[in-house]
């Protein structure tokens, strides 16, 4: 199995640089925010963080391609970095601390590019999570000060905690009734949103989460952290990995039941 330690160290350096840039503008009274064509917000901090990450990668990994939310694809080849400079921009621009920079390295393989390294850094929460293929998933302040992650062992849906982002997307896809049935079947629900539910699945503090509409940069880093912690990350169609434009993550023991509810159509 390839050794991704150098790539993981680089991803931490990228996250450090992004954290400094995003925290510098967090809660700034003169923060500039625009609306993209898809009607989602983008701040000057989103753009600055992605530009910073791209600059570092162009120097450190000039042969690797880069896919970012704000500036698209640059380069070609079997290795591609996937970047969401601020996952949770709506929180960021309102001063809510639940947002993160997501950085993943993907490699060409069967079924498309697959994540092999992922870092999720949430500086306003003082938290960071990471994983490399075959090396496990961790959380902590640094590579040398970390705790290994392990998903929960909850095996009954009635004992499970479910995290979700919102109801509107499920309704738009005709999946709302199935989603609501799921909420009635679990022990507890909480609307944390964005990257955080996936990290809580990896930590074992939440057992299930799902979102109906996502992009690759929303999922690539989350996917490898969840799977390296022993969990399962698929699309709603059951396809493993971050390639289905939506996501379902669990401790693995409850995944079939999770997909069953979310694929109910009325």
């Amino acid at each position: 199995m390839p050794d991704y330690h150098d790539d993981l160290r680089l991803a931490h350096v990228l996250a450090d640089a992004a954290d400094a840039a995003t925290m510098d503008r967090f809660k700034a009274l003169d923060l500039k925010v625009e609306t993209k064509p898809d009607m989602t917000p983008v701040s000057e901090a989103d753009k600055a963080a992605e530009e910073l990450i791209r600059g570092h990668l162009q120097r450190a990994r000039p042969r690797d391609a880069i896919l970012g939310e704000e500036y698209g694809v640059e380069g070609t080849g079997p290795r591609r970095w996937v970047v969401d400079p601020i996952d949770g921009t709506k929180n960021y621009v309102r001063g809510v601390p639940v947002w993160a920079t997501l950085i993943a390295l993907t490699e060409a393989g069967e079924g498309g590019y697959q994540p092999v390294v992922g870092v999720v850094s949430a500086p306003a929460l003082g938290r960071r999570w990471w994983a490399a293929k075959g090396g496990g998933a961790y959380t902590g302040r640094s590579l040398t000060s970390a705790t290994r992650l392990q998903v929960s062992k909850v095996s009954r849906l009635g004992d499970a905690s479910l995290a979700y982002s919102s109801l509107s997307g499920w309704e738009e896809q005709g999946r709302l009734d199935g989603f609501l049935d799921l909420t009635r079947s679990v022990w507890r629900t909480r609307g944390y949103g964005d990257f955080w539910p996936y990290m809580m699945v990896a930590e074992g503090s939440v057992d299930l989460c799902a979102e109906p509409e996502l992009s690759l940069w929303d999922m690539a880093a989350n996917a490898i952290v969840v799977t390296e912690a022993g969990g399962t990350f698929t699309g709603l169609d059951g396809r493993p990995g971050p390639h289905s434009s939506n996501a379902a993550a669990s401790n693995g023991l409850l995944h079939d039941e999770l997909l069953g509810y979310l694929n109910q159509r009325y």
Side-chain angles (χ1 to χ4, degrees):
M1 180 174 291
D3 181 0
Y4 296 106
H5 186 70
D6 286 346
D7 294 310
L8 183 59
R9 288 185 63 180
L10 175 59
H12 275 271
V13 171
L14 300 175
D16 288 343
D19 285 356
T22 52
M23 285 301 290
D24 184 60
R25 299 299 292 153
F26 185 49
K27 296 188 178 181
L29 297 178
D30 60 345
L31 182 73
K32 295 181 177 65
V33 182
E34 304 168 12
T35 300
K36 293 192 284 190
D38 65 359
M39 302 309 291
T40 61
V42 58
S43 75
E44 61 182 88
D46 292 78
K47 294 180 178 180
E50 185 168 324
E51 288 169 357
L52 199 61
I53 291 169
R54 285 175 179 270
H56 276 281
L57 284 171
Q58 285 159 0
R59 292 187 295 273
R61 296 289 190 276
R63 296 182 180 180
D64 293 354
I66 308 169
L67 168 64
E69 179 176 10
E70 307 308 335
Y71 295 106
V73 179
E74 183 178 354
T76 59
R79 288 166 46 101
R80 178 186 290 173
W81 294 85
V82 180
V83 177
D84 188 344
I86 299 179
D87 181 53
T89 299
K90 292 176 183 177
N91 282 347
Y92 184 88
V93 301
R94 291 296 302 273
V96 178
V98 183
W99 49 272
T101 295
L102 312 184
I103 300 168
L105 172 62
T106 65
E107 289 188 342
E110 189 175 342
Y113 284 86
Q114 302 298 332
V116 293
V117 167
V119 171
V120 176
S121 191
L125 294 176
R127 298 294 310 277
R128 184 177 291 185
W129 304 261
W130 63 88
K133 185 177 180 182
Y138 295 84
T139 185
R141 293 289 183 180
S142 68
L143 283 166
T144 56
S145 176
T147 302
R148 187 156 187 169
L149 299 176
Q150 181 65 47
V151 297
S152 75
K153 292 180 169 57
V154 173
S155 59
R156 287 186 65 256
L157 204 58
D159 297 328
S161 180
L162 165 70
Y164 64 96
S165 55
S166 68
L167 299 180
S168 57
W170 301 108
E171 188 168 30
E172 289 163 8
Q173 293 189 8
R175 301 179 190 263
L176 182 59
D177 287 342
F179 176 81
L180 292 176
D181 285 347
L182 174 62
T183 67
R184 297 180 186 108
S185 301
V186 297
W187 167 61
R188 192 169 189 257
T189 61
R190 285 293 183 270
Y192 299 107
D194 299 307
F195 70 93
W196 208 8
Y198 303 98
M199 298 305 97
M200 287 191 281
V201 168
E203 290 180 336
S205 54
V206 163
D207 311 299
L208 309 161
C209 68
E211 289 184 271
E213 188 174 2
L214 293 167
S215 298
L216 180 60
W217 48 76
D218 297 313
M219 298 183 282
N222 294 336
I224 188 163
V225 173
V226 168
T227 55
E228 285 293 324
T232 300
F233 189 107
T234 72
L236 299 179
D237 56 5
R239 180 185 178 190
H243 300 290
S244 301
S245 299
N246 46 49
S250 76
N251 63 5
L253 301 173
L254 301 167
H255 207 77
D256 289 344
E257 288 180 273
L258 173 64
L259 295 180
Y261 276 98
L262 297 180
N263 284 303
Q264 290 179 27
R265 301 295 186 115
Y266 294 88

